[in-house]
Amino acid sequence: MMILGIRTSPTTVRYAVLDCNGTTVSLVNADSENKLDFPADCRSIEQKLHWLHQELDRVLRQYSGIESIVIKANEYGRGGEKASSREAAYFDAVVLMTAGTRQLPVDVKLYRTIGTRRNEVKSFAETNVGATNRYWNEQMADAVSAAWSGRND
């Protein structure tokens, strides 16, 4: 079973494609694309939403075996909502809409429901799945950990 883990931000969307076969879990895109940077000419929220929808469709066509999607959502309550977290929520909505049009189950999780904490997510992802060979950071670890948490759902 293949699971797509997603972590959005105002400038970049990170995604992890996990192949889960029993107790064996592999990060399919560890050596390939895992980072979607919004183009410089995408300035308005409408342009970014449209672009992201097209990119998600492309990723889902590329990895046609994806059976579910798990989004690592922003943690609210730490300093209140900001414009950047609102924008990330819009991008999460694009993921939800794209999953809905393809009739893919989707789950939205926080660190608590994944089973880790923000300051531990990188080691959590590395221990349970592994790391990407490029652009490894907390947001990519969020995407990996989110996908990993969806393997038993």
Side-chain angles (χ1 to χ4, degrees):
M1 171 167 113
M2 289 178 77
I3 303 169
L4 177 64
I6 298 278
R7 179 65 160 118
T8 64
S9 79
T11 58
T12 303
V13 174
R14 302 306 303 270
Y15 72 94
V17 179
L18 267 55
D19 189 8
C20 305
N21 186 0
T23 58
T24 305
V25 178
S26 61
L27 180 56
V28 176
N29 63 329
D31 295 319
S32 57
E33 180 189 61
N34 57 54
K35 181 179 180 203
L36 303 173
D37 290 320
F38 289 101
D41 62 345
C42 275
R43 292 188 180 103
S44 72
I45 189 65
E46 296 86 0
Q47 290 172 321
K48 288 180 176 182
L49 295 172
H50 178 71
W51 180 85
L52 179 56
H53 177 65
Q54 290 178 319
E55 286 297 296
L56 287 172
D57 272 343
R58 179 185 62 79
V59 168
L60 290 168
R61 282 191 312 272
Q62 182 177 348
Y63 297 101
S64 59
I66 290 173
E67 296 179 31
S68 68
I69 300 174
V70 183
I71 300 168
K72 167 53 184 84
N74 278 332
E75 305 280 329
Y76 292 102
R78 296 184 335 187
E81 184 182 27
K82 299 177 184 136
S84 61
S85 55
R86 187 173 305 132
E87 203 168 301
Y90 297 156
F91 300 146
D92 289 350
V94 170
V95 178
L96 290 163
M97 181 195 71
T98 303
T101 60
R102 291 176 168 264
Q103 298 181 340
L104 289 171
V106 63
D107 199 0
V108 180
K109 296 195 175 189
L110 301 172
Y111 288 126
R112 179 180 41 80
T113 54
I114 291 172
T116 189
R117 297 171 188 244
R118 181 175 188 240
N119 61 345
E120 299 169 354
V121 71
K122 284 175 75 176
S123 63
F124 180 87
E126 291 167 0
T127 300
N128 289 300
V129 179
T132 57
N133 294 319
R134 295 183 317 156
Y135 309 119
W136 181 247
N137 63 12
E138 186 179 279
Q139 289 75 32
M140 188 61 202
D142 284 347
V144 169
S145 298
W148 180 85
S149 74
R151 74 201 187 293
N152 294 322
D153 289 348

